[in-house]
Amino acid sequence: MRAFDYIEIRVPAKPQYVSVIRLTISGLAVRVGFTYDEIEDLKIATSEAVTNVVHHAYKEDDSGEVVIGCALFDDKIEIMVADYGVSFNFEEVKSKIGPYHENENVALLREGGLGIYLMETLMDEVKLNNEGGVTVFMTKYVSREQVKGNVERITT
């Protein structure tokens, strides 16, 4: 593999393509060397970003598209999810979300912004750019150190 390989796909911003993106991310993450749990985290975070595009970016315009770019490194994957639809004020949305506490009444939990909260929880880095649409940049590192640490503790 070069310093990094870059893969980009464009799909219509429609719900039926979210699963296609999840499968693509899963296949790419396997090539980098992520664990099963890390791959599930990547799929959930990416699904949230793509679902936000499907639900909010183009409102009533069915011709919108979502662009997913993936940079594969030896130790990490960088995922970009971009649209050219309606932007939003990220700081305003972020100020209204989490943290959620276990003693909160479920009926009174805040709606909206949960996707951003999930992305930030599941990924190592998340950045948003909301100029001319919304672009989400997410990075996840392979946790090889954890495997090495566990291997050193095994005794025979």
Side-chain angles (χ1 to χ4, degrees), residues 75 141-150:
D75 63 340
Y141 293 90
V142 176
S143 57
R144 290 193 175 105
E145 295 80 22
Q146 183 180 14
V147 173
K148 182 179 178 184
N150 291 339

Side-chain angles (χ1 to χ4, degrees), residues 15-73:
Q16 59 265 39
Y17 293 102
V18 175
S19 61
V20 173
I21 301 305
R22 288 175 55 88
L23 287 172
T24 302
I25 293 298
S26 178
L28 295 174
V30 166
R31 294 192 57 78
V32 175
F34 286 101
T35 65
Y36 175 82
D37 289 338
E38 292 169 331
I39 291 171
E40 291 302 309
D41 291 348
L42 286 161
K43 288 166 51 180
I44 291 169
T46 306
S47 293
E48 288 298 325
V50 173
T51 300
N52 282 342
V53 173
V54 170
H55 287 283
H56 304 294
Y58 298 105
K59 304 288 182 190
E60 298 166 11
D61 182 9
D62 286 344
S63 63
E65 68 178 5
V66 57
V67 180
I68 298 92
C70 299
L72 309 179
F73 294 84

